[in-house]
Amino acid sequence: MIVVWDMETGEPFGAPLRGHTSRVNSVAISPDGTRIVSGSDDRTIRVWDADTGKPLGAPLQGHTSRVSSIAISSDGSRIVSGSNDTTIRVWDADTGKPLGAPLQGHTDRVRSVAISPDGTRIVSGSDDRTICVWDADTGKPLGAPLQGHTGPVWSVAISPDGTRIISGSSDKTTRVWDADTVTVALHDTH
């Protein structure tokens, strides 16, 4: 179940969104605020109308294990999902159809995904302790996986100007990477 909250009152906004058959691991809202996207242990992604709470189309299916992370491109045209099946999938946000083949390169579950503000790069973090950077159009990796964490990478983000990749790990560190040169830009923080 997903609950939408009113930011001004702190009260639930409408009824909970129901449809997943297992735990919901990640949610995102489209930049225009019209759609909510959720990923679940039931291996599906669901798209909801943010005003009515009704599902928009059928669940997006293709992952073979739980969906752990969801991101939406800044123009709202693409949904990116990361899964315990070690893949990242890119979906057309309007049709729900997959865009190309799954992105493969991680050797363990994908914990987090992010899309650059200009929509050209996808970043993923995994239990394999690496961060991968992908070309959003071709699905090809951009360079070798970023290494430096000694534990699973639980979270990734991209700065609003697209110049930095930030990763957080169970090794108790946060790393900041230069998105253009893909090297560590700043020292680890604890």
Side-chain angles (χ1 to χ4, degrees), residues 28-143:
I29 191 159
S30 62
D32 64 5
T34 62
R35 290 179 284 183
I36 296 167
V37 180
S38 56
S40 168
D41 274 7
D42 68 11
R43 301 179 298 202
T44 69
I45 296 125
R46 290 185 176 259
V47 181
W48 312 84
D49 182 294
D51 290 325
T52 67
K54 296 191 183 304
L56 297 173
L60 284 58
Q61 298 184 25
H63 283 295
T64 59
S65 188
R66 73 177 53 159
V67 178
S68 55
S69 185
I70 295 289
I72 303 174
S73 63
S74 61
D75 66 1
S77 68
R78 294 179 187 181
I79 297 166
V80 176
S81 57
S83 171
N84 281 15
D85 66 12
T86 73
T87 69
I88 297 102
R89 289 182 176 260
V90 182
W91 311 84
D92 182 299
D94 292 325
T95 67
K97 302 284 185 206
L99 296 173
L103 284 58
Q104 299 184 33
H106 285 294
T107 59
D108 206 336
R109 69 183 96 188
V110 176
R111 293 279 187 178
S112 185
V113 292
I115 307 172
S116 63
D118 65 4
T120 62
R121 296 177 185 183
I122 295 167
V123 175
S124 56
S126 169
D127 275 7
D128 67 11
R129 304 179 195 169
T130 68
I131 298 104
C132 288
V133 182
W134 311 86
D135 182 297
D137 291 325
T138 67
K140 303 257 187 240
L142 296 173

Side-chain angles (χ1 to χ4, degrees), residues 159-174:
S159 64
D161 65 2
T163 63
R164 300 282 187 255
I165 297 167
I166 299 89
S167 58
S169 169
S170 65
D171 66 10
K172 302 178 187 172
T173 67
T174 301

